[in-house]
Amino acid sequence: MSTSFHPDKKGFYGPFGGAYIPEMLIPNIESLKKKYLKILNSDTFRKSFKTLLEDYAGRPTPLYYATRLSEHYGCNIWLKREDLAHTGSHKINNTIGQILLAREMGKKRIIAETGAGQHGVATATVCALMGLKCVVYMGETDIERQAPNVARMKMLGAEVKTAISGSRTLKDATNEALRDWIANPLNTYYLIGSVVGPHPYPDLVARLQSVISGEIQWQLRNKTGKAEPDYVVACVGGGSNAAGSFYHYLSTPEVKLIGAEASGQGLTSGKTAASIALGETGVIHGSMTYLMQTDDGQITEPYSISAGLDYPGIGPLHAWLNQTGRARYLSVTDQEALDAALLITRKEGIIPALESAHALAALDQLELKSEQNVVVTISGRGDKDMKAYMEKLKLL
Amino acid sequence: MKKLISLFKQKRNLLSVYFTAGFPELNSTVPILKALEEGGADFVEIGMPYSDPLADGPVIQNSSSRALTNGMSLKVLFEQLKDIKQQVSIPLILMGYLNPVLKFGFNAFIERCKETGISGLIIPDLPYETYIEKYEPVFARNKISNIFLITPQTPKQRILNLDQASTSFLYMVSSAAVTGTRQGLSKRQIKYFKRINSMKLSTPRMVGFGISNHETFKEVCQYAHGAIVGSAFIKHLENYGHDQEAIINFVKNLKTGEQTDI
């Protein structure tokens, strides 16, 4: 029997995933579990989702042949331009899908967690679109680092609540969102931003993001005559853009899948977010997966120059893809990502998000041949990272 | 486990007190346990601090991070409790999250609980289904009771399943909320307590979350076997430290309503 890359009934990808949640969350998770596939597969949902993705979010996003970057690497580099989607990243694919789901489930209040603020902005955007109340939890440290995104969320009408527990970053914002859901079980929908959390979230978010690889297939076929590239490369924090980029190729082993995770200042520096390279198995936010922890099982604080990649765990699908060898995960340092960002900016006139720069930097670690087609997902644009670029690339 | 079961057979209006191990000080665990027993607590829940306690409100979160900063860990806790059987005779329960237990090694952890004389465990993020599938035999073999939570939203059939799987008591979460103190009981809560009572479950219930004073304790005892006080006691420790007399008076006051100056 071939390996399945979809979760079983209980939400497990091999040993990973599941729903390790307190009793207080069980009714909500059960109800979501019962309804999500039915709603996602309904004609009404599919029609609304497609229309909004096309007319509102600007899909399909281009698959762009990067001529000068291709010359540089000596192969064919195709950039999947999620940075051109509305709100500036792939996050909008997921929030459009989940807001339709929440509306269908009759929920009136939306909560979300955010790290860098991209998912928070994408959530606040669809809440404004649907006229739903929106509360976004964000760690105190991130609020300070990401002021423009906080302002965007507020302008969109969202309430931004400061997570002051723990390390005051993404993992704590996620804890706060879960606590909010415990306290407001009836009217509230938790719109999670990545392929993490208890089942069915990892599967739900992967399905909604799979629009990315769905498009890559037909776009690449149109351009090259073949739907299958040699490589698909994407960055991995929780792993939603990677899950979406890999999705339609999961059972096509000739397509090599590469995830780029952030090793921050280096794998052994103690300042890293490389959950796969360093992680051990454990439970975080309701899911069994790789995570970064102390010898006593306390979750440690990750570090990366990219706020979207500094999550101490990883989606259970990726843990499984790693364990089965279906995907390979490479570590990329802050410096390598910065170099790659500058390279693509100068070669192609595209300023990528720091997250996406990690995917580009991973190209240096691959042995690429001239006839090969390599798809790299540019998950978001670099506007939000200008402060870091200004400092690190000495642009002032 | 036997101790816990016979306690529920013999007594009503039980008071259980929760505190976080290693808070306010690393070595306050044992002195607090002794004082709680002396004050009249019927059993105690010892919190195993965790970096990401997602079912807990700010008071217990804060005590957990302070305990971790103080150097608390499962290894340290078991070391502190190694002679506790000789020092304290009321049943002890450990409460905490799954990840540190997995890291310790689930079976090793349960065996260590047995050696230490722990009666039961509350692990909020160990769901009933996983318990049944994977862990029930190791709990049974070591005579440790796994304690399940029920909430106002738990469906009837699930309550019946949890009742069936229970070996000591059910932890009845008083309202849809994380841990923390609240003022008195609402009509809706009383309706929920009555609804659960009318189910004639075979397992006794303790009510927790939001119980902070004698009045609420007394009221809750009309509908359940007893009540659990957590955040209110943590606040007490924040204010008065682990002074023995103060803890004894705190517990007496909860049980009897009598004020003693501290």
Side-chain angles (χ1 to χ4, degrees), chain A residues 10 19-24 26-27 165 171 175-176 178-179 182-183 185 280 282-283 288 293-299, chain B residues 49-56 61 68 73 98-100 102-103 124-125 127 133 149 151 153 158 176-178 209:
Chain A
K10 291 170 186 159
Y20 295 86
I21 45 170
E23 195 58 40
M24 294 82 112
I26 297 264
S165 60
K171 81 176 171 79
N175 290 334
E176 285 304 326
L178 287 165
R179 287 177 189 125
I182 286 173
E280 304 160 69
V283 169
M288 181 74 75
Q293 59 180 332
T294 66
D295 292 343
D296 299 317
Q298 308 294 340
I299 311 280
Chain B
Y50 182 47
S51 55
D52 295 75
L54 60 83
D56 286 302
Q61 283 171 41
L68 291 174
S73 68
L98 185 56
N99 197 55
L102 291 176
K103 181 74 184 169
D125 55 349
E133 221 172 83
L149 274 58
T151 82
Q153 274 72 41
R158 191 170 171 90
V178 292
F209 288 37

Side-chain angles (χ1 to χ4, degrees), chain A residues 217-233:
Chain A
Q217 278 187 319
W218 65 256
Q219 289 172 319
L220 199 65
R221 191 189 302 116
N222 284 351
K223 288 172 199 272
T224 69
K226 198 174 164 221
E228 294 80 29
D230 296 281
Y231 287 95
V232 177
V233 185

Side-chain angles (χ1 to χ4, degrees), chain A residues 143-154:
Chain A
I143 287 184
E144 286 162 19
R145 290 195 287 201
Q146 306 287 339
N149 272 343
V150 175
R152 285 167 87 192
M153 287 185 267
K154 287 185 176 166

Side-chain angles (χ1 to χ4, degrees), chain A residues 62-79:
Chain A
L63 183 70
Y64 163 71
Y65 182 75
T67 312
R68 291 188 1 105
L69 212 56
S70 296
E71 273 167 26
H72 178 87
Y73 281 107
C75 65
N76 300 312
I77 307 267
W78 300 87
L79 302 178

Side-chain angles (χ1 to χ4, degrees), chain A residues 18-21 25 29 178 181 192 196-202 284-287:
Chain A
Y20 295 86
I21 45 170
L25 287 173
I29 288 293
L178 287 165
W181 212 21
I192 209 162
V196 300
H199 177 66
Y201 279 111
I284 181 168
H285 299 136
S287 184

